[in-house]
């Protein structure tokens, strides 16, 4: 099984180049000022210019307004990852306003009951992202993981990706348990919040390639 990869929260030319060099399928840019990984649309545009067309460029947002989405889209994004409390109605509105943009909806998972929200996004989102529930201001990128066994027998209503607490050492176990075909990492390739490590990016992408 070929597992695709997304490296999220990049903010420097060097880390973007490393992710591209080692085969990342998606690169994510965070547009949320409270995050240590946040970039401006102008900074994202500069970084996206060095990314080849075959690599998808995702913008990560938390309850964004259309003005921010428009400015970020102009940087060269190919998709929106919605990581806040966006309702089904709001996502429908975003899809109507930006019909050519792929939309991912992140779901915060702590127990099996949290998966009950997944079917609500059928026909609205193109993909669900299962991430660990957090208690603070930041909705993701905290290095936390949920019980992967929750996904073992789950019938997914949409294409999906796995996130939360992944790193080069546990990715094989995570994929074996969940059957994930797309994995998303941020803090697992950092030395401290927001500071990406090129060696960790390379090690993670190489570990996925061996699956």
């Amino acid at each position: 099984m070929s597992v695709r990869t997304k490296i999220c929260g990049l903010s420097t030319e060097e880390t973007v180049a490393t992710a591209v060099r080692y085969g990342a399928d998606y690169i994510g840019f965070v547009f949320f000022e409270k995050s240590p990984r946040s970039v401006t649309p102008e900074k994202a545009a500069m970084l996206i210019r060095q990314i080849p067309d075959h690599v998808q460029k995702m913008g990560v947002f938390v309850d964004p307004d259309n003005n921010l989405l428009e400015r970020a889209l102009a940087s060269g994004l190919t998709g929106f990852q919605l990581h806040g409390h966006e309702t089904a109605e709001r996502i429908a509105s975003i899809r109507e306003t930006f019909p050519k943009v792929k939309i991912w909806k992140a779901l915060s998972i702590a127990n099996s009951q949290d998966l009950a929200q997944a079917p609500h996004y059928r026909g609205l989102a193109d993909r669900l992202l299962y991430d660990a529930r957090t208690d603070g201001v930041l909705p993701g990128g905290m290095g936390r993981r949920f019980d992967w066994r929750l996904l073992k027998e789950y019938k997914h209503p949409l294409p999906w990706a796995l996130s939360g607490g992944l790193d080069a050492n546990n990715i094989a176990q995570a994929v074996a348990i969940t059957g994930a075909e797309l994995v998303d990492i941020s803090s697992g390739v950092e030395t401290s919040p927001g500071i990406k490590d090129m060696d960790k990016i390379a090690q993670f992408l190489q570990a996925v390639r061996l699956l």
Side-chain angles (χ1 to χ4, degrees):
M1 178 180 68
S2 177
V3 179
R4 291 175 293 161
T5 51
K6 174 170 169 278
I7 308 296
C8 198
L10 299 188
S11 59
T12 68
E13 293 182 4
E14 294 79 11
T15 53
V16 168
T18 298
V20 171
R21 183 181 312 122
Y22 286 91
D25 299 287
Y26 298 81
I27 292 178
F29 300 97
V30 177
F31 298 90
F32 182 54
E33 291 183 354
K34 295 179 181 179
S35 170
R37 306 169 184 91
S38 183
V39 296
T40 64
E42 294 74 22
K43 178 68 174 293
M46 181 189 73
L47 297 173
I48 286 172
R49 280 196 290 269
Q50 72 183 89
I51 302 176
D53 290 343
H54 72 272
V55 179
Q56 300 299 303
K57 300 92 176 171
M58 301 295 297
V60 179
F61 304 89
V62 178
D63 300 309
D65 60 25
N66 282 1
N67 178 60
L68 176 57
L69 293 174
E70 288 173 0
R71 291 173 54 225
L73 182 61
S75 71
L77 297 179
T78 56
F80 296 155
Q81 179 179 312
L82 305 175
H83 229 296
H85 298 93
E86 300 87 4
T87 63
E89 291 77 16
R90 174 59 179 143
I91 295 176
S93 175
I94 292 172
R95 177 169 289 286
E96 183 177 359
T97 304
F98 305 95
K100 296 182 179 180
V101 179
K102 296 293 184 183
I103 296 176
W104 296 12
K105 178 66 181 99
L107 302 182
S108 298
I109 306 297
N111 53 56
S112 59
Q113 285 74 30
D114 292 325
L115 291 171
Q117 59 189 309
H120 299 162
Y121 299 100
R122 187 186 286 116
L124 298 173
D126 296 288
R127 184 178 302 274
L128 298 176
L129 176 74
Y130 301 116
D131 199 356
R133 184 189 298 170
T134 64
D135 301 320
V137 173
L138 300 179
M142 304 297 289
R144 296 185 182 181
R145 53 180 278 190
F146 61 93
D147 186 349
W148 296 326
R149 293 173 296 178
L150 294 173
L151 301 180
K152 192 169 185 178
E153 303 290 335
Y154 184 63
K155 304 300 183 185
H156 301 276
L158 286 167
W160 60 282
L162 177 66
S163 187
L166 301 175
D167 58 37
N169 295 319
N170 66 21
I171 188 59
Q173 179 188 22
V175 170
I177 291 173
T178 66
E181 297 181 7
L182 175 54
V183 293
D184 184 335
I185 190 169
S186 182
S187 62
V189 290
E190 292 181 338
T191 55
S192 60
I195 306 301
K196 291 292 189 289
D197 183 280
M198 290 184 287
D199 289 337
K200 288 187 175 183
I201 291 172
Q203 290 164 6
F204 179 79
L205 292 171
Q206 289 171 327
V208 173
R209 194 176 302 152
L210 293 174
L211 298 176

